[in-house]
Amino acid sequence: MKIIHTGDWHIGKIVNEFSMIDDQIYILDELIEVLKKEKPDALVIAGDLYDRSIPPAKAVEVLNNFFNKVILKMKIPILAIAGNHDSGERLEFGSSILENQGLYIEGTLKNAIRKVILYDEYGEVDFYLIPYADPVVIRHLFNDNEIKTHEDAMKKLIDLINNNRDKRRRSIIVTHGYVTFMKENYINEKNREEIIEKSSLEICDSERPLSIGGTDLISAKIFEDFNYVALGHLHGPQKVGTNKIRYSGSLLKYSFSEERQKKSVTIVEIDEDGSVQVKLTPLVSKRDMRTLTGHLDYLISKEFYKLNNKEDYIFAFLTDDGEVYEPISKLRAIYPNVMGVRRAINTTLERKEINLNKDYRNKSKLELFKDFYENVTQKDFFDDRKDIILKVIEEIDKGEV
């Protein structure tokens, strides 16, 4: 069986006041081309179809149009779950009516985990759809006060599945959350950030934490009896210890921390004996998201901008020392999709904290300015600036300014 695993579409997302809807329409058309080429048995979407619980009308229209193309015209089944950004109730509205057409959406968690059976030339493959739910919801659903963390909740759900399935059958889990194969060895001695760093998970700024204190981390060991686990939530395509447990990543970049990520969809083939082969098919977006660093005049020079796509989403870090007049306007004249601008942090001193009140009465005005300058900029006050400041101080003392 061949499936295409995706997730974290975030349709309707706004990044730095820029709507991403046109880029999302473009990338979904790219996904259609991948589906035409690969002809999978199913398309899996591992949560966060929308960016917020009440999506704008345009976002709903975009998703509906995509579903119509894939299900009605291409006859490819879609299996989808709600992520932490979605409203599960809204997402699964009418899904029972659409099952006969091949659309399987599980938005809210229920006492019995949703199982969808698909067929290939070797027989049946079981898909277990586990939408995102907070541990407190699962605790109340099963009346189990021992459930306190996301891992407790997932263990409960997987035990429920295992108690009611034939492990000889090929089976796939679709779920949404933070899964790490390092958690079990480190949870008692490391904090959340250290566990993630040790596990080599790639996280980014556009991913919303699910809880605090490490209680959102789930051990990958829970899923070891399944042939494949299709994960959503992390935006970088990556495996969790093994290719049998993977994040597909998002279709687009949604923060500048994703600048170096290569977006793709994950193509998974499961043989008769349940062995898994994985390949990544890259997706090329309409606009890239990248940072620029340098002097303003250089960044807006033809020598520089002719080498790149001016339509990309840009965040500029300026290395100019002095005052820069209307940098965002000058940048936007060349790069219409500039999302932000900031001074580049380029220190020449080790972090220096200066008590500006200490002995200030015994210091000259030049010494006071030097302390102020180095405290604010964290750069050395070189002698070539000394004469300029002395001239300014002299003018002030004479009352000429």
Side-chain angles (χ1 to χ4, degrees), residues 14 16 31 56 58 73 92 105 107 131 162 211 217 226 235 242 248 255 272 274-275 294 307 310 349 356 368 370:
I14 295 174
N16 293 344
L31 178 55
K58 183 63 177 179
K73 296 181 181 179
E92 71 177 11
I105 297 182
N162 283 332
S211 66
L217 300 179
F226 295 88
H235 289 185
T242 169
S248 65
S255 71
E272 182 181 10
S275 60
L307 302 175
K310 294 185 293 182
L349 299 173
L356 298 181
L368 288 171
K370 176 177 179 294

Side-chain angles (χ1 to χ4, degrees), residues 85-314:
H85 282 254
D86 297 309
S87 165
E89 292 82 0
R90 288 185 175 87
L91 196 63
E92 71 177 11
F93 175 77
S95 60
S96 58
I97 301 172
L98 299 171
E99 277 187 27
N100 292 334
Q101 299 293 335
L103 177 60
Y104 306 91
I105 297 182
E106 191 72 349
T108 58
L109 199 64
K110 303 170 182 66
N111 291 94
I113 304 301
R114 174 82 171 276
K115 180 173 76 170
V116 176
I117 302 174
L118 298 182
Y119 300 85
D120 64 6
E121 62 268 34
Y122 305 120
E124 300 174 333
V125 178
D126 298 331
F127 291 78
Y128 294 94
L129 307 184
I130 306 177
Y132 174 79
D134 286 324
V136 65
V137 173
I138 301 173
R139 180 165 67 243
H140 290 307
L141 182 64
F142 294 99
N143 193 27
D144 186 345
N145 290 327
E146 297 300 313
I147 296 174
K148 295 180 173 63
T149 68
H150 283 264
E151 177 161 310
D152 296 337
M154 188 59 69
K155 281 181 178 177
K156 181 74 176 183
L157 300 177
I158 296 301
D159 286 345
L160 184 65
I161 292 171
N162 283 332
N163 291 337
N164 295 278
R165 77 178 180 100
D166 183 349
K167 292 187 178 182
R168 295 170 297 180
R169 292 163 63 97
R170 294 172 293 164
S171 55
I172 294 172
I173 293 285
V174 184
T175 192
H176 192 92
Y178 281 105
V179 176
T180 166
F181 75 100
M182 295 292 291
K183 176 182 181 293
E184 192 156 299
N185 295 331
Y186 285 89
I187 189 61
N188 294 323
E189 54 186 277
K190 304 283 184 181
N191 61 35
R192 181 182 188 278
E193 288 70 26
E194 288 176 299
I195 296 169
I196 290 175
E197 182 180 355
K198 288 286 184 181
S199 69
S200 300
L201 285 180
E202 183 181 0
I203 62 175
C204 60
D205 296 341
S206 55
E207 298 152 0
R208 182 185 298 171
L210 303 177
S211 66
I212 59 174
T215 61
D216 57 348
L217 300 179
I218 300 169
S219 171
K221 189 176 180 180
I222 295 173
F223 305 106
E224 61 185 1
D225 291 333
F226 295 88
N227 297 101
Y228 185 74
V229 181
L231 296 172
H233 189 57
L234 299 189
H235 289 185
Q238 57 199 291
K239 63 182 180 181
V240 183
T242 169
N243 263 333
K244 289 175 56 177
I245 306 174
R246 289 197 64 94
Y247 287 96
S248 65
S250 58
L251 300 180
L252 289 170
K253 298 176 183 179
Y254 291 127
S255 71
F256 289 96
S257 63
E258 301 169 56
E259 180 178 9
R260 291 181 175 81
Q261 291 181 0
K262 304 295 183 183
K263 298 301 183 180
S264 62
V265 293
T266 305
I267 300 173
V268 183
E269 295 193 59
I270 302 177
D271 296 338
E272 182 181 10
D273 63 357
S275 60
V276 170
Q277 300 293 325
V278 171
K279 71 174 182 178
L280 304 184
T281 294
L283 296 174
V284 180
S285 58
K286 185 176 183 179
R287 303 176 185 89
D288 199 2
M289 186 172 283
R290 56 194 177 91
T291 58
L292 305 178
T293 302
H295 283 74
L296 176 61
D297 288 343
Y298 177 64
L299 297 182
I300 62 177
S301 67
K302 189 173 183 179
E303 173 191 6
F304 178 80
Y305 68 71
K306 71 180 180 181
L307 302 175
N308 299 289
N309 182 6
K310 294 185 293 182
E311 299 295 319
D312 287 344
Y313 294 113
I314 299 295

Side-chain angles (χ1 to χ4, degrees), residues 16 18 256 314-317 328 331-332 337-342:
N16 293 344
F18 281 74
F256 289 96
I314 299 295
F315 200 103
F317 291 92
I328 195 75
L331 285 164
R332 194 157 282 158
N337 297 309
V338 171
M339 287 186 165
V341 61
R342 187 178 300 162

